[in-house]
Amino acid sequence: MGFIMLGTLKGKTALVTGSTSGIGLGIAQVLAAQGANIVLNGFGPAGEIETLRAKIAAEHGVTVRYDGADMSKPDTIDVMMNKAIAEFGAVDILVNNAGIQHVAPIEEFPVEKWNAIIAINLVAAFHTIRLALPGMKQRKWGRIINIASAHALVASPYKSAYVAAKHGIAGLTKTVALETAAAGITVNAICPGYVLTPLVEKQIPDTARARGITEEQVVKDVLLAAQPTRKFVTIEQVAALAVYLASDAAASVTGTLMPIDGGWTAQ
Ligand code: NAD
């Protein structure tokens, strides 16, 4: 019996949506550290993104490209995917991570926010997946990692669009896993609890308003109260799980919704 090592991702190409910040940036960095070429995506000041791109490339000796495609726009997703496939031959590892949040009671939920959350957090993954699969099938190897959420498994009040989109991603993950199971491709969702990124920092004031409590109470009594560990999950922990799912050791792991949530969804 030989041991399976996680091995290298040298020669593979990973496209991580929403990788200019937070969890996506952490995943892009750690996949580059494993040897994968990277396509970064997301918003931010052009100079900062270029510095980041050059730094990841230099640190890990891999090719790093940036594509500023807006994940709410199917046409620009199409252009991004086709450019990546033309340059690298295929997107071997697709990480659907770009996401936004808005917190409000449903009667007050702005219609344009609902539409944007469904487009970016759910519909974009349909487009990236359908466009990445032919190349993965050709190479008989592929990894699709959807960054879902504990909110793909359970709900919280005032997050109707986000919870609907994340539950949708859970269904998409399982369905595509079944369609690709015999093709050397795995499809999984990582379901983090709260990670202290700009996405969470921004929702603290809105949650305070919606619940009529202070921002400190939101952190202690809403966010960390959900997690028995009473600690935020870290970007590094989520990124390490993504590396495992991208490895050959995880070839039999498909169609799963993996909580990494300090015990939140065990309750
Ligand atoms: P973040 O705000 O730090 O990063 C979001 C990234 O998505 C950024 O790079 C941003 O530029 C990009 N983005 C936003 N809109 C975009 C668009 N229209 N097109 C392209 N890129 C766009 O947030 P994060 O916390 O790192 O979130 C990343 C993912 O993790 C999201 O899907 C989020 O739902 C999920 N998640 C986060 C937490 C958490 O507690 N932070 C928990 C569970 C799941």
Side-chain angles (χ1 to χ4, degrees):
M1 188 199 90
F3 292 108
I4 301 179
M5 308 305 280
L6 287 192
T8 173
L9 296 174
K10 208 168 165 40
K12 308 279 194 221
T13 296
L15 184 148
V16 186
T17 70
S19 46
T20 53
S21 165
I23 294 170
L25 175 56
I27 291 175
Q29 284 171 317
V30 83
L31 291 177
Q34 300 296 310
N37 297 319
I38 303 292
V39 181
L40 291 173
N41 161 259
F43 299 149
E48 278 176 31
I49 293 173
E50 174 50 25
T51 305
L52 200 60
R53 187 203 65 73
K55 187 167 170 273
I56 299 173
E59 258 174 29
H60 305 295
V62 296
T63 303
V64 183
R65 293 278 180 264
Y66 166 69
D67 194 307
D70 181 341
M71 290 299 108
S72 69
K73 300 202 166 79
D75 291 352
T76 69
I77 296 174
D78 203 298
V79 172
M80 174 184 77
M81 294 302 292
N82 285 322
K83 243 168 87 180
I85 291 161
E87 176 165 10
F88 296 103
V91 170
D92 304 292
I93 302 164
L94 169 65
V95 183
N96 287 306
N97 166 83
I100 59 167
Q101 173 63 291
H102 187 79
V103 179
I106 188 132
E107 316 92 289
E108 293 161 25
F109 213 93
V111 172
E112 69 280 5
K113 289 283 185 201
W114 171 278
N115 290 338
I117 290 173
I118 300 297
I120 296 164
N121 296 18
L122 175 59
V123 179
F126 159 66
H127 292 296
T128 56
I129 289 171
R130 73 181 174 80
L131 294 164
L133 275 178
M136 290 180 178
K137 284 186 175 165
Q138 217 169 29
R139 292 186 172 180
K140 299 186 170 52
W141 195 97
R143 294 289 185 267
I144 297 173
I145 302 170
N146 297 322
I147 306 306
S149 168
H151 284 121
L153 304 167
V154 295
S156 297
Y158 314 122
K159 295 184 177 176
S160 53
Y162 188 86
V163 172
K166 295 297 185 181
H167 275 64
I169 277 286
L172 180 67
T173 300
K174 292 197 262 189
T175 306
V176 183
L178 295 181
E179 291 182 25
T180 59
I185 298 164
T186 70
V187 189
N188 293 285
I190 295 179
C191 301
Y194 287 108
V195 184
L196 201 56
T197 65
L199 181 139
V200 166
E201 282 161 5
K202 275 184 246 159
Q203 66 184 271
I204 293 173
D206 292 342
T207 305
R209 219 167 303 129
R211 291 181 182 245
I213 57 178
T214 67
E215 294 189 17
E216 294 68 37
Q217 283 172 313
V218 171
V219 173
K220 194 164 156 285
D221 301 338
V222 180
L223 305 184
L224 295 183
Q227 305 190 165
T229 52
R230 302 286 180 261
K231 283 188 184 132
F232 284 105
V233 177
T234 69
I235 291 172
E236 291 76 9
Q237 291 163 353
V238 177
L241 184 51
V243 169
Y244 166 68
L245 288 173
S247 76
D248 284 331
S252 297
V253 179
T254 196
T256 71
L257 313 175
M258 288 194 171
I260 172 166
D261 63 3
W264 176 348
T265 56
Q267 298 175 99

